[in-house]
PDB file of all heavy atoms in Angstrom:
ATOM      1  N   PRO A1161     -57.282  -0.235  28.737  1.00  0.00           N
ATOM      2  CA  PRO A1161     -56.473  -1.414  28.431  1.00  0.00           C
ATOM      3  C   PRO A1161     -55.013  -1.198  28.838  1.00  0.00           C
ATOM      4  O   PRO A1161     -54.429  -0.150  28.566  1.00  0.00           O
ATOM      5  CB  PRO A1161     -56.604  -1.548  26.911  1.00  0.00           C
ATOM      6  CG  PRO A1161     -57.893  -0.859  26.577  1.00  0.00           C
ATOM      7  CD  PRO A1161     -57.990   0.274  27.550  1.00  0.00           C
ATOM      8  N   ALA A1162     -54.433  -2.181  29.504  1.00  0.00           N
ATOM      9  CA  ALA A1162     -53.048  -2.080  29.964  1.00  0.00           C
ATOM     10  C   ALA A1162     -52.477  -3.475  30.160  1.00  0.00           C
ATOM     11  O   ALA A1162     -53.217  -4.439  30.347  1.00  0.00           O
ATOM     12  CB  ALA A1162     -52.970  -1.293  31.271  1.00  0.00           C
ATOM     13  N   LYS A1163     -51.153  -3.570  30.112  1.00  0.00           N
ATOM     14  CA  LYS A1163     -50.460  -4.835  30.314  1.00  0.00           C
ATOM     15  C   LYS A1163     -49.619  -4.757  31.583  1.00  0.00           C
ATOM     16  O   LYS A1163     -49.072  -3.703  31.910  1.00  0.00           O
ATOM     17  CB  LYS A1163     -49.554  -5.147  29.111  1.00  0.00           C
ATOM     18  CG  LYS A1163     -50.321  -5.379  27.815  1.00  0.00           C
ATOM     19  CD  LYS A1163     -49.372  -5.690  26.665  1.00  0.00           C
ATOM     20  CE  LYS A1163     -50.137  -5.941  25.378  1.00  0.00           C
ATOM     21  NZ  LYS A1163     -49.226  -6.240  24.235  1.00  0.00           N
ATOM     22  N   PRO A1164     -49.472  -5.872  32.298  1.00  0.00           N
ATOM     23  CA  PRO A1164     -48.656  -5.863  33.509  1.00  0.00           C
ATOM     24  C   PRO A1164     -47.234  -5.395  33.209  1.00  0.00           C
ATOM     25  O   PRO A1164     -46.675  -5.689  32.150  1.00  0.00           O
ATOM     26  CB  PRO A1164     -48.668  -7.331  33.958  1.00  0.00           C
ATOM     27  CG  PRO A1164     -49.893  -7.917  33.332  1.00  0.00           C
ATOM     28  CD  PRO A1164     -50.069  -7.201  32.023  1.00  0.00           C
ATOM     29  N   ALA A1165     -46.652  -4.654  34.143  1.00  0.00           N
ATOM     30  CA  ALA A1165     -45.292  -4.148  33.956  1.00  0.00           C
ATOM     31  C   ALA A1165     -44.610  -4.042  35.316  1.00  0.00           C
ATOM     32  O   ALA A1165     -45.188  -3.521  36.269  1.00  0.00           O
ATOM     33  CB  ALA A1165     -45.314  -2.787  33.263  1.00  0.00           C
ATOM     34  N   GLN A1166     -43.384  -4.571  35.383  1.00  0.00           N
ATOM     35  CA  GLN A1166     -42.624  -4.537  36.628  1.00  0.00           C
ATOM     36  C   GLN A1166     -41.208  -4.043  36.359  1.00  0.00           C
ATOM     37  O   GLN A1166     -40.557  -4.493  35.414  1.00  0.00           O
ATOM     38  CB  GLN A1166     -42.544  -5.930  37.282  1.00  0.00           C
ATOM     39  CG  GLN A1166     -43.879  -6.496  37.743  1.00  0.00           C
ATOM     40  CD  GLN A1166     -44.601  -7.249  36.650  1.00  0.00           C
ATOM     41  OE1 GLN A1166     -43.967  -7.897  35.822  1.00  0.00           O
ATOM     42  NE2 GLN A1166     -45.925  -7.182  36.641  1.00  0.00           N
ATOM     43  N   THR A1167     -40.757  -3.114  37.193  1.00  0.00           N
ATOM     44  CA  THR A1167     -39.400  -2.583  37.126  1.00  0.00           C
ATOM     45  C   THR A1167     -38.821  -2.511  38.531  1.00  0.00           C
ATOM     46  O   THR A1167     -39.483  -2.023  39.451  1.00  0.00           O
ATOM     47  CB  THR A1167     -39.374  -1.165  36.515  1.00  0.00           C
ATOM     48  OG1 THR A1167     -40.044  -1.162  35.254  1.00  0.00           O
ATOM     49  CG2 THR A1167     -37.946  -0.675  36.320  1.00  0.00           C
ATOM     50  N   ARG A1168     -37.588  -2.986  38.689  1.00  0.00           N
ATOM     51  CA  ARG A1168     -36.876  -2.840  39.958  1.00  0.00           C
ATOM     52  C   ARG A1168     -35.953  -1.628  39.829  1.00  0.00           C
ATOM     53  O   ARG A1168     -35.139  -1.553  38.907  1.00  0.00           O
ATOM     54  CB  ARG A1168     -36.061  -4.099  40.255  1.00  0.00           C
ATOM     55  CG  ARG A1168     -35.226  -4.052  41.542  1.00  0.00           C
ATOM     56  CD  ARG A1168     -34.372  -5.310  41.635  1.00  0.00           C
ATOM     57  NE  ARG A1168     -33.519  -5.306  42.814  1.00  0.00           N
ATOM     58  CZ  ARG A1168     -33.841  -5.841  43.991  1.00  0.00           C
ATOM     59  NH1 ARG A1168     -35.024  -6.428  44.135  1.00  0.00           N
ATOM     60  NH2 ARG A1168     -33.009  -5.818  45.013  1.00  0.00           N
ATOM     61  N   VAL A1169     -36.087  -0.679  40.745  1.00  0.00           N
ATOM     62  CA  VAL A1169     -35.293   0.548  40.705  1.00  0.00           C
ATOM     63  C   VAL A1169     -34.400   0.587  41.941  1.00  0.00           C
ATOM     64  O   VAL A1169     -34.881   0.452  43.072  1.00  0.00           O
ATOM     65  CB  VAL A1169     -36.177   1.805  40.653  1.00  0.00           C
ATOM     66  CG1 VAL A1169     -35.324   3.056  40.501  1.00  0.00           C
ATOM     67  CG2 VAL A1169     -37.186   1.707  39.506  1.00  0.00           C
ATOM     68  N   GLU A1170     -33.083   0.786  41.724  1.00  0.00           N
ATOM     69  CA  GLU A1170     -32.117   0.820  42.822  1.00  0.00           C
ATOM     70  C   GLU A1170     -31.365   2.144  42.797  1.00  0.00           C
ATOM     71  O   GLU A1170     -30.833   2.542  41.759  1.00  0.00           O
ATOM     72  CB  GLU A1170     -31.116  -0.331  42.687  1.00  0.00           C
ATOM     73  CG  GLU A1170     -31.767  -1.709  42.659  1.00  0.00           C
ATOM     74  CD  GLU A1170     -30.753  -2.820  42.443  1.00  0.00           C
ATOM     75  OE1 GLU A1170     -29.545  -2.493  42.353  1.00  0.00           O
ATOM     76  OE2 GLU A1170     -31.156  -3.990  42.363  1.00  0.00           O
ATOM     77  N   LEU A1171     -31.303   2.805  43.939  1.00  0.00           N
ATOM     78  CA  LEU A1171     -30.544   4.049  44.037  1.00  0.00           C
ATOM     79  C   LEU A1171     -29.053   3.750  43.971  1.00  0.00           C
ATOM     80  O   LEU A1171     -28.546   2.868  44.663  1.00  0.00           O
ATOM     81  CB  LEU A1171     -30.860   4.752  45.357  1.00  0.00           C
ATOM     82  CG  LEU A1171     -29.996   5.990  45.649  1.00  0.00           C
ATOM     83  CD1 LEU A1171     -30.295   7.104  44.654  1.00  0.00           C
ATOM     84  CD2 LEU A1171     -30.210   6.454  47.081  1.00  0.00           C
ATOM     85  N   LEU A1172     -28.325   4.502  43.129  1.00  0.00           N
ATOM     86  CA  LEU A1172     -26.874   4.434  43.082  1.00  0.00           C
ATOM     87  C   LEU A1172     -26.243   5.644  43.757  1.00  0.00           C
ATOM     88  O   LEU A1172     -25.256   5.522  44.467  1.00  0.00           O
ATOM     89  CB  LEU A1172     -26.394   4.330  41.633  1.00  0.00           C
ATOM     90  CG  LEU A1172     -26.865   3.082  40.873  1.00  0.00           C
ATOM     91  CD1 LEU A1172     -26.383   3.142  39.435  1.00  0.00           C
ATOM     92  CD2 LEU A1172     -26.371   1.814  41.552  1.00  0.00           C
ATOM     93  N   ALA A1173     -26.827   6.827  43.533  1.00  0.00           N
ATOM     94  CA  ALA A1173     -26.273   8.035  44.165  1.00  0.00           C
ATOM     95  C   ALA A1173     -27.264   9.180  44.013  1.00  0.00           C
ATOM     96  O   ALA A1173     -28.001   9.253  43.026  1.00  0.00           O
ATOM     97  CB  ALA A1173     -24.935   8.410  43.529  1.00  0.00           C
ATOM     98  N   ASN A1174     -27.268  10.072  45.003  1.00  0.00           N
ATOM     99  CA  ASN A1174     -27.997  11.331  44.890  1.00  0.00           C
ATOM    100  C   ASN A1174     -27.040  12.421  44.433  1.00  0.00           C
ATOM    101  O   ASN A1174     -25.821  12.326  44.612  1.00  0.00           O
ATOM    102  CB  ASN A1174     -28.616  11.728  46.234  1.00  0.00           C
ATOM    103  CG  ASN A1174     -29.985  11.113  46.447  1.00  0.00           C
ATOM    104  OD1 ASN A1174     -30.814  11.104  45.533  1.00  0.00           O
ATOM    105  ND2 ASN A1174     -30.223  10.583  47.644  1.00  0.00           N
ATOM    106  N   GLY A1175     -27.585  13.454  43.796  1.00  0.00           N
ATOM    107  CA  GLY A1175     -26.755  14.535  43.306  1.00  0.00           C
ATOM    108  C   GLY A1175     -26.044  15.270  44.429  1.00  0.00           C
ATOM    109  O   GLY A1175     -26.567  15.391  45.541  1.00  0.00           O
ATOM    110  N   ALA A1176     -24.845  15.762  44.127  1.00  0.00           N
ATOM    111  CA  ALA A1176     -24.070  16.488  45.128  1.00  0.00           C
ATOM    112  C   ALA A1176     -24.718  17.831  45.447  1.00  0.00           C
ATOM    113  O   ALA A1176     -24.879  18.199  46.605  1.00  0.00           O
ATOM    114  CB  ALA A1176     -22.642  16.685  44.633  1.00  0.00           C
ATOM    115  N   ASP A1177     -25.074  18.580  44.397  1.00  0.00           N
ATOM    116  CA  ASP A1177     -25.690  19.890  44.612  1.00  0.00           C
ATOM    117  C   ASP A1177     -26.844  20.140  43.652  1.00  0.00           C
ATOM    118  O   ASP A1177     -27.308  21.259  43.511  1.00  0.00           O
ATOM    119  CB  ASP A1177     -24.647  20.999  44.488  1.00  0.00           C
ATOM    120  CG  ASP A1177     -23.893  20.951  43.158  1.00  0.00           C
ATOM    121  OD1 ASP A1177     -24.283  20.145  42.301  1.00  0.00           O
ATOM    122  OD2 ASP A1177     -22.927  21.719  42.998  1.00  0.00           O
ATOM    123  N   GLN A1178     -27.300  19.109  42.963  1.00  0.00           N
ATOM    124  CA  GLN A1178     -28.452  19.228  42.068  1.00  0.00           C
ATOM    125  C   GLN A1178     -29.544  18.268  42.526  1.00  0.00           C
ATOM    126  O   GLN A1178     -29.257  17.236  43.135  1.00  0.00           O
ATOM    127  CB  GLN A1178     -28.052  18.904  40.626  1.00  0.00           C
ATOM    128  CG  GLN A1178     -27.004  19.848  40.042  1.00  0.00           C
ATOM    129  CD  GLN A1178     -26.719  19.531  38.591  1.00  0.00           C
ATOM    130  OE1 GLN A1178     -27.626  19.412  37.773  1.00  0.00           O
ATOM    131  NE2 GLN A1178     -25.435  19.383  38.256  1.00  0.00           N
ATOM    132  N   ASP A1179     -30.770  18.619  42.238  1.00  0.00           N
ATOM    133  CA  ASP A1179     -31.918  17.816  42.679  1.00  0.00           C
ATOM    134  C   ASP A1179     -32.134  16.659  41.713  1.00  0.00           C
ATOM    135  O   ASP A1179     -33.151  16.574  41.016  1.00  0.00           O
ATOM    136  CB  ASP A1179     -33.157  18.721  42.754  1.00  0.00           C
ATOM    137  CG  ASP A1179     -34.251  18.104  43.613  1.00  0.00           C
ATOM    138  OD1 ASP A1179     -33.930  17.218  44.426  1.00  0.00           O
ATOM    139  OD2 ASP A1179     -35.414  18.498  43.461  1.00  0.00           O
ATOM    140  N   LEU A1180     -31.139  15.754  41.665  1.00  0.00           N
ATOM    141  CA  LEU A1180     -31.144  14.632  40.734  1.00  0.00           C
ATOM    142  C   LEU A1180     -30.682  13.379  41.462  1.00  0.00           C
ATOM    143  O   LEU A1180     -30.081  13.446  42.547  1.00  0.00           O
ATOM    144  CB  LEU A1180     -30.197  14.898  39.553  1.00  0.00           C
ATOM    145  CG  LEU A1180     -30.492  16.094  38.649  1.00  0.00           C
ATOM    146  CD1 LEU A1180     -29.278  16.390  37.769  1.00  0.00           C
ATOM    147  CD2 LEU A1180     -31.724  15.814  37.784  1.00  0.00           C
ATOM    148  N   CYS A1181     -30.937  12.227  40.849  1.00  0.00           N
ATOM    149  CA  CYS A1181     -30.425  10.972  41.380  1.00  0.00           C
ATOM    150  C   CYS A1181     -30.027  10.061  40.224  1.00  0.00           C
ATOM    151  O   CYS A1181     -30.542  10.184  39.117  1.00  0.00           O
ATOM    152  CB  CYS A1181     -31.449  10.279  42.283  1.00  0.00           C
ATOM    153  SG  CYS A1181     -33.021   9.851  41.485  1.00  0.00           S
ATOM    154  N   LEU A1182     -29.096   9.177  40.521  1.00  0.00           N
ATOM    155  CA  LEU A1182     -28.652   8.170  39.560  1.00  0.00           C
ATOM    156  C   LEU A1182     -29.204   6.834  40.029  1.00  0.00           C
ATOM    157  O   LEU A1182     -29.023   6.455  41.189  1.00  0.00           O
ATOM    158  CB  LEU A1182     -27.126   8.113  39.495  1.00  0.00           C
ATOM    159  CG  LEU A1182     -26.517   7.037  38.574  1.00  0.00           C
ATOM    160  CD1 LEU A1182     -26.815   7.354  37.114  1.00  0.00           C
ATOM    161  CD2 LEU A1182     -25.003   6.956  38.805  1.00  0.00           C
ATOM    162  N   VAL A1183     -29.894   6.122  39.138  1.00  0.00           N
ATOM    163  CA  VAL A1183     -30.508   4.851  39.516  1.00  0.00           C
ATOM    164  C   VAL A1183     -30.155   3.773  38.510  1.00  0.00           C
ATOM    165  O   VAL A1183     -29.776   4.045  37.369  1.00  0.00           O
ATOM    166  CB  VAL A1183     -32.052   4.969  39.622  1.00  0.00           C
ATOM    167  CG1 VAL A1183     -32.452   5.944  40.719  1.00  0.00           C
ATOM    168  CG2 VAL A1183     -32.667   5.381  38.282  1.00  0.00           C
ATOM    169  N   ARG A1184     -30.288   2.538  38.986  1.00  0.00           N
ATOM    170  CA  ARG A1184     -30.175   1.379  38.123  1.00  0.00           C
ATOM    171  C   ARG A1184     -31.569   0.774  38.019  1.00  0.00           C
ATOM    172  O   ARG A1184     -32.254   0.575  39.025  1.00  0.00           O
ATOM    173  CB  ARG A1184     -29.192   0.366  38.720  1.00  0.00           C
ATOM    174  CG  ARG A1184     -29.241  -0.995  38.034  1.00  0.00           C
ATOM    175  CD  ARG A1184     -28.074  -1.892  38.405  1.00  0.00           C
ATOM    176  NE  ARG A1184     -27.943  -2.143  39.826  1.00  0.00           N
ATOM    177  CZ  ARG A1184     -26.939  -2.866  40.344  1.00  0.00           C
ATOM    178  NH1 ARG A1184     -26.019  -3.379  39.565  1.00  0.00           N
ATOM    179  NH2 ARG A1184     -26.863  -3.058  41.647  1.00  0.00           N
TER     180      ARG A1184
END
């Protein structure tokens, strides 16, 4: 059982020296 789900993900920035990203 599951319900529909939608998310829009936008990149804001990638990390300078870490394997991370900032998203909206």
